[in-house]
Amino acid sequence: MGLVLITDDAAFSRRMIRKAVEAAGHQVIEATNGQEGLDMAAEHSPDCIMTDLLMPEMDGFALLKALGEKGSKIPVIVLSADIQDSARQKCEELGAFMMLKKPPKAPDIQAAIQKALDSK
């Protein structure tokens, strides 16, 4: 299975996502903001990143941009309550693999991760 980095400033969201990811047999590491997520991605080379968009210090858009500038090929799944076309389009332009509406259901999280891992 894979190593999944969950980047979200809300502890409750991280806990719920972690449960779904671990239930599918994956290992999890967590970050509380985009900068921490960027640092952890460089240190641990996860197989997949799941990130929120609205976070302190560095938001999900900036994280996607920074990963792209570093040439990262890690698939990033964006989790957000903001599912407007403009947010979705910006995420796609910044290289997001997929976007899921928050709060995501466990089967949707598991299917998204599997697609991301299969794409590598």
Side-chain angles (χ1 to χ4, degrees):
M1 290 292 160
L3 177 64
V4 178
L5 168 59
I6 299 169
T7 305
D8 196 315
D9 59 318
F12 178 77
S13 291
R14 287 195 315 274
R15 197 166 41 252
M16 298 310 291
I17 296 163
R18 174 186 276 273
K19 286 173 76 173
V21 173
E22 289 179 339
H26 304 290
Q27 291 182 296
V28 173
I29 52 176
E30 297 181 15
T32 60
N33 62 61
Q35 184 60 59
E36 195 177 303
L38 187 61
D39 295 344
M40 291 186 81
E43 182 180 341
H44 298 282
S45 297
D47 298 299
C48 179
I49 297 171
M50 303 191 86
T51 187
D52 188 18
L53 284 181
L54 302 177
M55 298 178 287
E57 290 189 47
M58 178 188 277
D59 66 17
F61 294 117
L63 173 61
L64 283 166
K65 185 175 184 212
L67 287 167
E69 288 171 350
K70 291 182 181 294
S72 173
K73 300 296 183 207
I74 302 168
V76 179
I77 300 167
V78 175
L79 304 169
S80 181
D82 183 358
I83 57 162
Q84 297 178 43
D85 287 342
S86 58
R88 182 178 299 276
Q89 182 177 353
K90 187 172 181 180
C91 288
E92 288 172 1
E93 288 170 1
L94 291 170
F97 177 75
M98 182 184 297
M99 196 165 181
L100 294 178
K101 185 177 192 279
K102 252 183 158 180
K105 293 178 172 58
D108 295 336
I109 292 170
Q110 294 162 350
I113 291 170
Q114 195 56 55
K115 282 183 186 175
L117 296 178
D118 289 346
S119 76
K120 292 183 82 176

